[in-house]
Amino acid sequence: MSIPGTTYPVNNPAQNYQTGGTQTTPPVTEAPVTPPPAQEEPAGVYTPSGETPPANNNFRPDRARMEQLWNHHQQQVDNFRRMMEVLFNRQAQEQGIAAGTWNPQEIELTDEMRAAAAEQVAEGGYFSVEETAARILDFAVAISGGDPERLDVLRGAIEQAFENAERIWGGQLPEISQQTRAAVMEGLDQWAANGNVADIALLNR
């Protein structure tokens, strides 16, 4: 018989008692020696204040994870750049329609079409300097996670996007697009000054 929770057999004296004859002494069985429990590895090593903890020589960087994060970051920057290319060109188109200087399909530009485009690029309009620059800055903050250490990457993406937009446009972009780029850079300068996106004036109107 065994008792739950034990690791060795237990003799039952009743099973070894003989009736009607000479009693015999129950055989003595030796209980097996239970090995001591294995010692667990310490969860951490206490390091007194002021002392340098021992180096972890077993650390190995997860290169696959690092590459995945880098590729994701690059994709975000590429999307940011393409968005700006579209914004700069569309802004230039609306300005050209409003001024009557952009008509690649040689269609008749009515007064209503020019008025609608003029409203888009006027102050407060969707493609105005302030509104377009604010959208670019808002996206820049989002993809950087508000980390000022990524400002150089953002500046590079903006400059490259503007150059690409001019190639697509076929020459220098109109003044409204030049002013928009300058407003974006000014916003990044405000952010860099104190390392706080709350200092970007266009995002706190």
Side-chain angles (χ1 to χ4, degrees), residues 60-136:
R60 294 291 184 276
D62 188 342
R63 297 190 182 279
R65 177 61 175 163
M66 291 171 64
E67 183 176 357
Q68 183 182 18
L69 291 173
W70 172 254
N71 290 338
H72 178 66
H73 172 67
Q74 284 297 105
Q75 183 178 6
Q76 286 184 317
V77 173
D78 289 342
N79 291 339
F80 178 51
R81 187 178 62 250
R82 284 193 292 268
M83 180 207 71
M84 287 186 291
E85 292 171 8
V86 172
L87 282 178
F88 284 133
N89 271 277
R90 181 64 189 279
Q91 185 185 52
Q93 291 170 13
E94 293 294 331
Q95 178 65 33
I97 292 173
T101 59
W102 187 79
N103 189 2
Q105 297 179 354
E106 299 298 330
I107 63 175
E108 181 182 357
L109 296 177
T110 65
D111 292 339
E112 290 79 7
M113 293 171 66
R114 286 194 291 269
E119 183 177 351
Q120 291 275 52
V121 296
E123 183 177 355
Y126 188 79
F127 288 106
S128 65
V129 171
E130 294 81 7
E131 294 299 323
T132 305
R135 285 197 297 280
I136 292 173

Side-chain angles (χ1 to χ4, degrees), residues 11-57:
N11 291 322
N12 185 351
Q15 293 177 344
N16 298 309
Y17 181 76
Q18 298 179 354
T19 60
T22 304
Q23 294 184 355
T24 59
T25 303
V28 178
T29 58
E30 295 182 359
V33 178
T34 303
Q39 293 183 348
E40 298 182 355
E41 292 294 331
V45 179
Y46 170 72
T47 303
S49 177
E51 294 186 12
T52 303
N56 182 4
N57 295 325

